[in-house]
Structures are given as C-alpha cells and as structure tokens.
Amino acid sequence: MKIDLHVHSKFSRRPSQWVLQKIGCPESFTEPRLIHRLAKERGMGLVTITDHNTIEGALAIADLPDTFISEEITTYFPGDGCKIHLLALHISEGQHQEIQRLRGNIFDLAGYLDKEGICPVVAHPLYAINDRLQVSHFQQLLLLFRHFELNGARSEEQNHTLRLVLGRLEAADIERLENLHNRQALGERPWEKVLTGGSDDHSGLNIARTHTRVAGATGIDSFFAGLLAGRCEVHGRASTPLTMAHNLYGIAYQFYRDKFQLAPHIHRDRLLTHLDRALQPEATTHGGLVTKISLYFNQRRRSRIDNAFPESLLTLIRQESERLFREQPEKSTPTRAGEDGYQERERQWFHFVNQVSNRVLAHSANHLLGHLAGANVFNIFQTIGSAGGLYALLAPFFVSFSQFNRDRALNDEVLSSWSPAGKDAPQPATTAKIAHFTDTFHQVNGVAHTLRQQIGAARTTGRKLTVITCEKEGGEGEPGLRNFNPIGSYELREYPGQKLSYPPFLEMLNFCHEERFSHIQSATPGPIGLAALAIARILNLPISGTYHTAFPQYAQYLTGDPDMEQLTWKYMLWYYDQMDQISVSSRNSAAELIDRGIRPEKIRLIPRGIDTKRFHPDKGNGLLSSRYRIKEETTLLYVGRVSKEKNLPVLTTAFASLSTSRPSLHLVVVGDGPYLKEMRQSLVGMPCTFTGFLTGEELATVYASADIFVFPSTTDTFGNVILEAQASGLPVIVSDQGGPSENVQPGTTGLVVPGGDSAALAGAIRFLAVNQEQRRKMGKAARQLMEERSFAGAFIRSWDIVAGQGGSCDDLSRRAA
C-alpha cells in the first residue's frame, strides 16, 4: 500500500514565501477533493491531507473512502523559538484541539503525542524554517521522535544526510545526547529510527511524487502497524530549486486564475493555454470550434506586432512568448505529471521562463544602453522600471535557489558530526571552490592571458577553479572553463570592436548551484559582473571583485566628456562597494579607490607573477631581422591594445621626434585596436613595424629579440606586459601614473617618466638607446627581479586572499614596505 503522507490543500492559508505574501496568495490553492482524485489516480492506496495547524482539508475528504485525518503542526523549542514542523498522522478532532493547545512547547507536545500513541513524523528535519535551526536542535529531535521524513520538496543532499545519520545511530550515541542535553529519550529503542516519505506538495503539481510504501498492508490499520514497526520504504525523487520554483509559479497562477476568472479565456490565448497546461494540476478542457477559431485569429493578429519596444512588460512577455511558440512549437505542450513526468515538466518550465526572460532582458538591455548613450533620462527610468518588473516575475526562481543553498552549511555540519574519519563528509570548509566571472577570456589581453595561466596553475596545485564567461565564439570543452552563449550584445560606439555581452542569468545561476561553489570572483563590473553579484547574493556566497581596468579614465579618454568619467566612477564605486572584498594589483589602484570612498578594510593587494620559463632572454633568435627585415641596431617594442587610452599618441609623437636624430632606432608595435590605422599614418616613412596580434612562443621570441620595452599608458591598473618584458631581459620605460610603475625599480630595471609627456618619454628612449651598457645592466636586473615572482607562487598567494585568508590593503602595504 502506498500513501503520500505530506500534502497541502487550500486550507493551508498562510504563505511562508515572501513572493506569495506580496500578492496576497495562500500557501496552497488545491481543492481537497482534487488531491484525493489525483492521489488515487497515481496509485495511492490511502489519502490524507496535512494542512498547517488545521484539519479542515482532511475533514473535507473524510466522507471519501481510504482517508484519515492528519495535520502539520508548527511547534517551537522554548527559549530560542526555533520552529519545527511535525506531521501528526491519523488523529481525531479532539486530539487536534489538544495538539493546538500544546504546540507552543515541543517538549510538552512530544510527551502528549507519545502518551496518546499518535505517530508523529519530523517533517523536513534539516530545513531551518525560521533560520534558527542548529545541530543542537537536531540532536534533541533525535531524543524526542522516532519517525523522520525524507521530504519530497527538499534537496537530495538533505535526504542523503538524513539517511546516513539515522542509519549510523547506535545506543551509545543516544546516551551521549541524553547526557549532553540532560533529557531522556522517548521510546524503547530510541536509536532505531524510521524514515517516511511525503511530497510536501502545495500546488497539486507533485502529489505522490514522493510517498511511503508498506508491503502487505491492505488498509489503514495494517498500514500504520507497518509504519510503527518500521516496515516501510520511501519511494520517489527529491526536489531541486527548479521543483520549488515550479510550485511557486503554480500556486501564483492558480490564485490569479481564480481571482480574475480566467478559465473561460484559457483556450482563446496561446500563452494562457501554455500556462494552464504547465501550472495547473490538470489543464482546462479544450474549448470547441469557436474558441479554436478565436485562438487562430488572435495568433495571426499578434504575429504582426512590430518590433518597437512596448510600454508594458506583460505585452513584451506575450510578444516574446508568441515568437518562441512559432519558432519552437514543441514548447507549447508541457509534459503531464506522472512517474517520469515530474522532473521533465519542471525542466520544461525552467527552459520556457529562461528563454522568454532572456529575450525580454536582451530587448530591455539594448534600449537601456541606447538611452544611456543618448542621455534620454526619462526613457532610462522607464526601461529600468520594466527590468524591475521582470525581476519580480523571476522572483520564484531567486527564492528557490536562495532557500536550497541557505541550509547547506547546516547540512554539512550535521553530516560531518556523524561521519567517521571524514567518510561521506562534504569537502572541508577551508577547501575553496571558486567561480571566476570574466568577459575577456577569449580576447587577446593581459587579463585573459592571466586567467588562462591561473587555470593551468589551479590544475597543477590542486585548486578548484572554474572560469565562467559569456562569449559567442567561446567554444566548449576547455578544461576549467564554462562558456555560456550570450542572449544578446551591445557594441560600444566609442570603443570599436568591444561588445557588452548579456549573460543567460538563470542558466548561470543553476550552474553555480549545481557546482556548489564556495566563492564567487568577478573580474568585470559589466553585465557578467552584475550576474556574478546577483548569483552571489542569491546563493549566499562571498564575492570578491578584481579591479584591474580603469574604466572611468577610459570613458574620459574615449568620449572626451568629464561628466561621462564621473558617471562611470559613480557606477564603479557602487559596484565595488557591493563586494565583500576587492582585489587590486597595485597600491596606486588601492589608494585611488580609498580616496574615492571605498573602505580600506575591503581592499586586498594581490600578488601577480610571471611565467619565467615562457618569457626568457635565451629565446632571442633574430626573428625581428629575419621575418620583419629590421636592420636598425636598436629595437623599441610596444605590446598591447593599439588604442588611445594606452597613451599611444604620446609614443607616436616621441618616436617621430627621435626618428630623425636616431635613425638606428626601430619601433615594433605588437597588437591591434582602433588607433592602429591612425598610428600607421602618423608614422609613414619612419622605421616602424606593426605585427598584429602575436601569442605563445612567437610573442616570447619577439620580446627576447628586442632591446627596449616602452609602455606609455596612464590608465592601466597593473600592466602584465611589464612583467613579460622584464622576464625577457628588457629594460622598460613606463609612466608614473597607474600600476605599471610599481613593477619597475626606477634606475635599476627601467625608467619612469611623467605621464603624457612626449618630450620626457623621448628623452628616456634616447638615453637607453645611446647607453648600451646601461641597457644591458638594466635588462639583467629586470630578469633577476622577475625570477623572484614565479606565477605559481603568486597564484597560491592570490588564491588564499580571494578565499578569505589575506590581510587588508594596509596590512599588506606595511608588510611589503
């Protein structure tokens, strides 16, 4: 005989989830008689209803066969008010009254239930209902009760932990707990526990998904005889956040369907038809010929909706849903519930919401960025309002993922406390598993190169690192990388070749939940960084932001508008202030953030290393002369993005002034970018070579074959190319603004000149070009300095900082000094 021992009806009126409270919706909207019919159709031999602190639902089906009265009791530990839910099965109306009188104190209630011979079951024992549940409460539950529930609405992790812990209990464990809590256990053999199963269904969508079986039972008496004797088995599947979200959407839809009397209109509207099939326990019967004709013409009319941004978010959702149904007709027919249909149905709902919200979000983001570029203030607020409405519509998923992750720490603590020698225990809390979000992994720049090195170092040192990015040409299958296809993008007019990609947020959220990351790290304040921040908040994970690009200065350089720089600063400060800690590569960046109001205790100075085997002076092989036909005796090298924000116009002016007085000097520019064409034109007829992008051994060889490295940028927070050049044995010339100057020992490994001063830059280049011996000494010192900065060592130190084991910026500054 099978029975779902935990089901709610419309008499469970008080919702615990804020998303239902907001719309004034009850916790369940399912009719008791529908519960009875669906349970019987799904093979349940007996049917009961366990509403919160009421038996109205059970009484509503008491006249039907194979039923009995039950309820779910809310009770409390005295003193701290920790809330616990108990199922009281097969009770009378008189017992219900006494239970309600005693439920304020769990100890009084447990004594009464034991005395009356009532079978209580601890519902979802590892779920912290009011955030007060601790291991000590769980230990006392073991003293008070024999039956514990494997809950169909909770995670497999919780149910797995419960099976392990209860399966390992011995008499000595109970004796230890009795002494610890100064309380005698109830029952004759209190270390022998019994597991039951129930769906904890609130929407009618998962009735009988999880249930209890008693072999050989033929009625209520024999079923409970088997239950009390422990001759029962739990069958079914645990839930995921997708299950819970599906339930919440189902409850809300059923509420609005009834409130606005939508039933007569269901089959006149394809979206409503889809919602009814996906979110109702059983869909409304199809209408006749008239409704089918009406549906056909409504679809034809809506297919002609233009692409203008609609004022109503709901209009946009309807529009994008219709497009999805036209493009993917199979999406409009959800799987029905059944033995194999529960999980497929919730996955289908997830993919439907994901695809529609992605389309709406991409539409909204394009308009928002377009309005920002055009300074259309009122349209900006209108678009932000629509985005806020979309957030509200996605709230069931946010609530579900948050709740499923909230109890993981308690679950791990309980499991660890009963796992001998770590068997079956979760990974130690000190073992970090980091998700690093970036938008530049497949670009050719220092950040992308460093991230690739970090993936390799993580594998070598046994660290758990996954780089998460969102690029159309990202590809799949690279170890340590998870690339998501963007749902859209926006090209920055002022920064040709650069696009802001919009990430598929729900997919990223689901991935991070399933991977069980312990820390989130964001390498960008862009859309992917915003996704990282939201995921960290929803999953209750610490987040670290890496500040390695001076976007406000870029904005000033590219637009020439100081107001745009200040606006960018406001956003940057807001974003980085949301971080639990901020990683910077230089003291210059740290000081800049502190001066603008970021608290110093948030800032961490992360070490940066270099692959000294890859970049080495011995790799110089005459490539510059053999491939590029460079005959001049001194080669000046620049590596990086060819753009104005790198201060390359200053280098262009300086080199042009030198080319007449130092004809033996040749400039090599490695890289590409929006300033390339203009720079070529400015240096026509001068000894200058543009190689385009170079990587790998070819780049290392060019470094080692050059004589002087120059990097005039004033907007870089670090400048990884400075390390690469010095590791290759080159003296370097940098500006005194930004982070690069902190990687140079002035007068020893290179020269530091005033930023933006072309005459000073030309003088430094001339000095090193003329003084060959000085250049050789600086190059040798530069190589020795870099040999102390191995990438593996720097990676381990920066890993520990991100994992929360590093000091503040001030502490690190004093230590370095």
Side-chain angles (χ1 to χ4, degrees):
M1 181 169 280
K2 300 184 291 186
I3 178 171
D4 185 343
L5 289 173
H6 193 166
V7 186
H8 293 269
S9 78
K10 67 179 184 179
F11 293 102
S12 289
R13 296 185 177 93
R14 295 184 60 186
S16 57
Q17 303 300 334
W18 68 264
V19 66
L20 298 179
Q21 294 170 3
K22 274 289 186 183
I23 61 176
C25 178
E27 189 169 37
S28 176
F29 218 75
T30 317
E31 291 290 340
R33 289 184 176 262
L34 177 60
I35 292 173
H36 184 275
R37 178 160 59 81
L38 291 176
K40 297 297 283 186
E41 288 175 359
R42 295 171 188 177
M44 300 298 102
L46 297 171
V47 181
T48 194
I49 293 176
T50 53
D51 286 316
H52 287 293
N53 303 307
T54 181
I55 58 174
E56 289 180 82
L59 289 175
I61 59 171
D63 62 315
L64 299 177
D66 302 320
T67 63
F68 57 90
I69 299 173
S70 303
E71 68 177 313
E72 183 173 9
I73 313 162
T74 302
T75 185
Y76 303 86
F77 277 94
D80 60 11
C82 176
K83 187 184 292 187
I84 300 294
H85 284 174
L86 299 175
L87 304 178
L89 304 175
H90 199 11
I91 61 175
S92 68
E93 293 183 59
Q95 288 171 328
H96 161 68
Q97 295 296 330
E98 188 64 11
I99 284 170
Q100 291 304 302
R101 187 180 71 83
L102 296 172
R103 70 182 181 89
N105 186 312
I106 193 172
F107 300 113
D108 295 341
L109 178 62
Y112 170 76
L113 296 173
D114 184 60
K115 177 183 174 183
E116 289 289 302
I118 297 171
C119 181
V121 179
V122 183
H124 39 70
L126 297 178
Y127 168 46
I129 302 166
N130 60 347
D131 295 329
R132 297 182 183 180
L133 184 67
Q134 299 178 10
V135 173
S136 61
H137 297 114
F138 177 71
Q139 292 171 342
Q140 293 177 81
L141 292 175
L142 295 176
L143 298 177
L144 295 172
F145 303 102
R146 184 170 181 238
H147 290 75
F148 288 75
E149 179 191 52
L150 297 178
N151 187 275
R154 306 311 305 167
S155 70
E156 181 57 40
E157 290 173 296
Q158 286 192 8
N159 291 340
H160 175 69
T161 295
L162 203 60
R163 286 184 186 273
L164 285 174
V165 171
L166 300 189
R168 288 179 176 152
L169 278 180
E170 298 177 354
D173 295 313
I174 296 299
E175 183 179 354
R176 175 177 60 84
L177 295 180
E178 287 177 327
N179 293 331
L180 178 64
H181 297 287
N182 193 28
R183 182 171 298 277
Q184 185 175 354
L186 296 177
E188 294 181 2
R189 298 174 65 83
W191 57 91
E192 295 179 355
K193 304 299 182 185
V194 179
L195 291 170
T196 70
S199 65
D200 199 0
D201 178 80
H202 289 72
S203 63
L205 298 172
N206 290 289
I207 293 170
R209 174 183 177 133
T210 303
H211 55 269
T212 305
R213 295 185 184 184
V214 174
T218 57
I220 293 177
D221 291 340
S222 55
F223 179 87
F224 274 94
L227 192 69
L228 292 170
R231 292 185 289 102
C232 55
E233 297 177 345
V234 178
H235 289 259
R237 294 170 177 162
S239 290
T240 68
L242 274 59
T243 313
M244 183 179 182
H246 188 217
N247 280 328
L248 290 174
Y249 279 109
I251 296 167
Y253 172 73
Q254 292 161 28
F255 169 69
Y256 281 120
R257 185 180 186 273
D258 181 78
K259 182 177 181 179
F260 297 113
Q261 299 296 303
L262 296 177
H265 309 283
I266 295 299
H267 295 293
R268 299 176 186 175
D269 182 287
R270 183 149 56 170
L271 178 58
L272 275 179
T273 301
H274 179 82
L275 295 178
D276 206 68
R277 290 173 176 173
L279 301 175
Q280 276 282 100
E282 53 182 9
T284 304
T285 305
H286 283 275
L289 181 62
V290 175
T291 55
K292 291 179 180 178
I293 293 174
S294 174
L295 176 61
Y296 172 77
F297 281 106
N298 280 339
Q299 291 169 1
R300 288 289 300 271
R301 177 175 56 82
R302 291 195 180 99
S303 68
R304 295 193 295 269
I305 295 175
D306 62 31
N307 292 323
F309 185 76
E311 293 184 4
S312 168
L313 174 63
L314 293 178
T315 301
L316 181 56
I317 290 172
R318 178 183 298 282
Q319 177 180 325
E320 295 301 337
S321 298
E322 290 288 350
R323 285 181 178 157
L324 178 62
F325 294 147
R326 289 197 303 271
E327 295 167 9
Q328 304 176 41
E330 70 280 3
K331 298 294 183 185
S332 61
T333 309
T335 301
R336 304 307 301 160
E339 190 68 28
D340 299 318
Y342 295 109
Q343 288 181 308
E344 182 59 28
R345 203 175 184 206
E346 65 203 29
R347 280 196 295 265
Q348 288 178 347
W349 176 251
F350 172 80
H351 291 307
F352 171 73
V353 175
N354 177 55
Q355 287 186 277
V356 172
S357 63
N358 284 348
R359 292 167 182 234
V360 173
L361 184 61
H363 203 133
S364 300
N366 281 337
H367 279 77
L368 176 62
L369 291 172
H371 295 325
L372 280 171
N376 302 320
V377 177
F378 293 106
N379 288 334
I380 289 172
F381 287 117
Q382 178 185 0
T383 307
I384 290 175
S386 294
L390 181 62
Y391 170 86
L393 289 174
L394 293 177
F397 278 112
F398 303 155
V399 168
S400 302
F401 279 101
S402 177
Q403 196 159 100
F404 267 69
N405 278 268
R406 187 185 65 183
D407 296 325
R408 274 181 167 172
L410 174 65
N411 184 80
D412 291 349
E413 188 179 352
V414 169
L415 182 56
S416 298
S417 65
W418 263 278
S419 296
K423 183 181 179 183
D424 298 313
Q427 62 182 16
T430 54
T431 303
K433 186 175 183 181
I434 297 176
H436 195 138
F437 286 72
T438 180
D439 53 10
T440 62
F441 188 81
H442 290 99
Q443 296 180 21
V444 182
N445 58 37
V447 175
H449 176 64
T450 299
L451 285 172
R452 289 183 178 276
Q453 286 183 295
Q454 288 180 348
I455 289 177
R459 289 202 305 269
T460 303
T461 60
R463 266 69 176 177
K464 297 181 179 180
L465 171 67
T466 300
V467 171
I468 296 176
T469 189
C470 181
E471 298 178 274
K472 192 171 184 179
E473 307 299 329
E476 296 293 339
E478 294 187 53
L481 173 70
R482 178 63 168 91
N483 182 62
F484 289 85
N485 289 323
I487 62 176
S489 62
Y490 184 87
E491 186 162 355
L492 300 174
R493 287 176 295 181
E494 294 83 2
Y495 206 166
Q498 291 294 307
K499 292 183 177 180
L500 293 177
S501 294
Y502 311 144
F505 181 74
L506 284 182
E507 294 174 42
M508 283 185 167
L509 176 61
N510 190 43
F511 174 77
C512 290
H513 164 76
E514 291 180 345
E515 288 296 312
R516 289 200 59 162
F517 292 112
S518 64
H519 294 74
I520 300 291
Q521 187 173 11
S522 171
T524 170
I528 294 173
L530 288 172
L533 174 60
I535 288 169
R537 292 292 175 259
I538 290 170
L539 300 184
N540 194 30
L541 298 176
I543 180 170
S544 171
T546 306
Y547 178 73
H548 55 61
T549 303
F551 285 112
Q553 291 89 325
Y554 277 26
Q556 162 68 16
Y557 242 107
L558 297 171
T559 66
D561 184 350
D563 290 336
M564 185 60 70
E565 179 183 12
Q566 291 307 311
L567 180 63
T568 308
W569 263 123
K570 287 181 183 298
Y571 169 71
M572 293 282 286
L573 293 172
W574 171 83
Y575 179 79
Y576 283 102
D577 201 38
Q578 307 307 306
M579 302 293 109
D580 296 304
Q581 64 178 29
I582 305 165
S583 299
V584 297
S585 301
S586 66
R587 292 177 181 82
N588 178 277
S589 296
E592 185 174 39
L593 292 176
I594 292 170
D595 288 345
R596 291 184 176 272
I598 298 294
R599 299 192 304 276
E601 60 269 20
K602 275 193 171 189
I603 300 176
R604 306 289 185 272
L605 184 62
I606 58 172
R608 295 280 287 271
I610 185 66
D611 186 347
T612 53
K613 292 183 179 179
R614 180 182 179 189
F615 298 99
H616 197 284
D618 291 345
K619 293 192 175 182
N621 62 3
L623 177 69
L624 292 177
S625 59
S626 61
R627 176 179 298 184
Y628 299 104
R629 309 300 180 190
I630 297 175
K631 304 302 182 184
E632 288 77 12
E633 63 183 41
T634 306
T635 304
L636 180 67
L637 176 66
Y638 168 84
V639 177
R641 180 172 171 81
V642 184
S643 54
K644 288 184 177 181
E645 79 273 6
K646 297 295 185 182
N647 234 18
L648 288 184
V650 174
L651 174 59
T652 301
T653 301
F655 185 75
S657 68
L658 288 170
S659 61
T660 54
S661 60
R662 297 293 305 172
S664 61
L665 187 65
H666 195 108
L667 174 63
V668 176
V669 177
V670 177
D672 200 352
Y675 181 60
L676 179 61
K677 183 178 179 180
E678 184 178 344
M679 191 174 185
R680 280 181 182 273
Q681 292 174 343
S682 300
L683 297 174
V684 168
M686 302 180 198
C688 183
T689 299
F690 296 87
T691 69
F693 283 126
L694 297 178
T695 60
E697 285 300 304
E698 194 172 26
L699 175 62
T701 299
V702 168
Y703 269 121
S705 301
D707 298 299
I708 305 167
F709 185 79
V710 60
F711 195 71
S713 173
T714 59
T715 59
D716 274 68
T717 60
F718 183 75
N720 205 61
V721 290
I722 305 300
L723 303 189
E724 295 172 354
Q726 291 182 103
S728 302
L730 298 186
V732 297
I733 303 173
V734 299
S735 77
D736 60 354
Q737 298 177 32
S741 62
E742 295 179 24
N743 294 311
V744 178
Q745 291 182 351
T748 302
T749 67
L751 301 175
V752 178
V753 299
D757 189 334
S758 59
L761 181 61
I765 294 171
R766 183 185 298 107
F767 173 79
L768 289 180
V770 171
N771 295 284
Q772 185 175 0
E773 181 61 24
Q774 183 68 24
R775 194 169 74 222
R776 186 190 65 80
K777 288 181 179 179
M778 283 187 171
K780 183 177 180 181
R783 173 63 193 182
Q784 290 175 343
L785 178 65
M786 292 301 102
E787 286 176 349
E788 300 172 3
R789 300 182 64 167
S790 74
F791 186 85
F795 170 75
I796 292 173
R797 292 194 299 275
S798 64
W799 177 275
D800 290 341
I801 290 172
V802 172
Q805 301 170 14
S808 69
C809 179
D810 288 343
D811 292 337
L812 290 170
S813 297
R814 283 195 296 269
R815 198 178 310 152

